[in-house]
Structure formats: structure tokens, C-alpha cells
Amino acid sequence: MNTQPATQTIATMPPLRRPSRTQRPPERIVLTGFMGSGKSTVGPLLAAELGWTFIDLDTEIERRTGLTVPEIFATRGEEAFRREETAALVVALGRAHTVIALGGGAPETLANRLLLEQTPATAVVYLAAPFATLAERCSQQAADPTATARPNFADIAAAQARFDNRQPLYRRLAHLCVETETLTPADSVAAVISAVAAKASRA
Ligand code: S3P
């Protein structure tokens, strides 16, 4: 783990890309990646380390609708879920000093990709791992009665197809990629912070 206080590291960061009059240091870090990639585990730890707020987009959708994610899928369908996801993302991206964990399917929606690309001072970080690792983590989490079920992981072959389709989107959308297969959540936090800082210092 980085021994320097992370709050200082981010606060002194230059903008993500080449400085211009409109660019500012990162004010939001958005975690993206497939189901089981650790977004909802790493996100709160990262926010705590930075002294920032954490928003889990699925939790926001559940709060806004009063329904769980599986209930939305079952009663309204995936398209309705995706509309709620975009609405929640618009609000989340209005917050500064915030870590946002996306749902695994959020980058499939063009509006979400445009929002992420066009919101200034927003670092998008892809938490990557091989499908076998993600599948193993998701099946372990499915055995936990307190964990939210994942409708899009019910069928493993369909999940693998979604993974294959989404990989290029995750990679294109992200400013940074952290390979998490062998990392603990704390290691992933340190890797995200140093990758964002390194990227910012190259801008
Ligand atoms: C989904 C991922 C889930 C949640 C919903 C759909 C997907 O989020 O948004 O079940 O299509 O990949 P996590 O990636 O946090 O599991």
C-alpha cells in the first residue's frame, strides 16, 4: 500500500490528459468491469483511502426504484433496468470527489459511454480479470444469501458471451486498466491510485 496519504496524491494530480483551460485534476474515479471484477469491494475502500464519497450504481438504482436489481429484471425487464442505470449515472457524475462503481453492463449502453467520455475530470478504470476467475467469484458470491443475485450470471454460457462482447468496450472506454486476478482488494486500491497518479503526471 502506498505510504503517502492518498488524499494528497490525488489533490496534487495534474489533469488526466494534456492540460487545457477546461481540464481539471480527476474529481471522480469510475470503476468498470465485468460482474465479479471487484468494483463494489474495491470502490468503498478506494473512496475511504481518498477521503471521497462512494456510490454503487446498482444500490442507487435500487434506492431510486424501491426494487432490487433482480426484481427490476423480473418485473420490468433489462431494458427498463438500463434506463434506470443511465438516469442514476447522470446524477452520480454530477458529484465531485466521488468513486462510482458501475454495474458490469453499464458500458453496453451508448448513452453511458458518451456520458463517461464527456464528463470532465473523470478517470475511468477497468478492473480486469479472466472469465474463469470472474465466474468462480460470482458463483462463490451466489452462495451468500445476503448478496444481491445477478440475473445476467444465471446462464454461464450466456455470461461468457456477454464477457466476450463487452471486453473491447471496457478497454476502449477506460483511461486505465488494472489486472486484478492476483491482487487483494487492498492491492487493487493501491494499484488504482498509483495508475491514476501516473497517468495524470504524464498528461
Ligand atoms: C449486470 C451487472 C450487475 C447489475 C445487473 C446487471 C450485468 O452489476 O448491474 O445485475 O449485466 O453485467 P455487478 O457488475 O456489480 O454485478
Side-chain angles (χ1 to χ4, degrees), residues 33-40 56-58 61 69-70 73 78 81-82 85 101-108 138 141 148-153 162 166 170:
F34 202 67
M35 294 171 273
S37 61
K39 305 173 297 285
S40 306
D56 184 286
L57 213 59
D58 285 340
I61 295 165
V69 170
F73 271 72
E78 181 164 351
F81 173 81
R82 296 299 168 200
E85 190 170 49
L102 301 182
E108 278 190 355
C138 285
Q141 288 162 9
T148 305
R150 291 182 165 107
N152 283 348
F153 219 97
R162 279 182 193 264
R166 288 177 186 173
Y170 293 137

Side-chain angles (χ1 to χ4, degrees), residues 2 70 106 123:
N2 198 343

Side-chain angles (χ1 to χ4, degrees), residues 123-134:
V124 180
V125 181
Y126 172 31
L127 300 184
F131 183 76
T133 305
L134 299 166

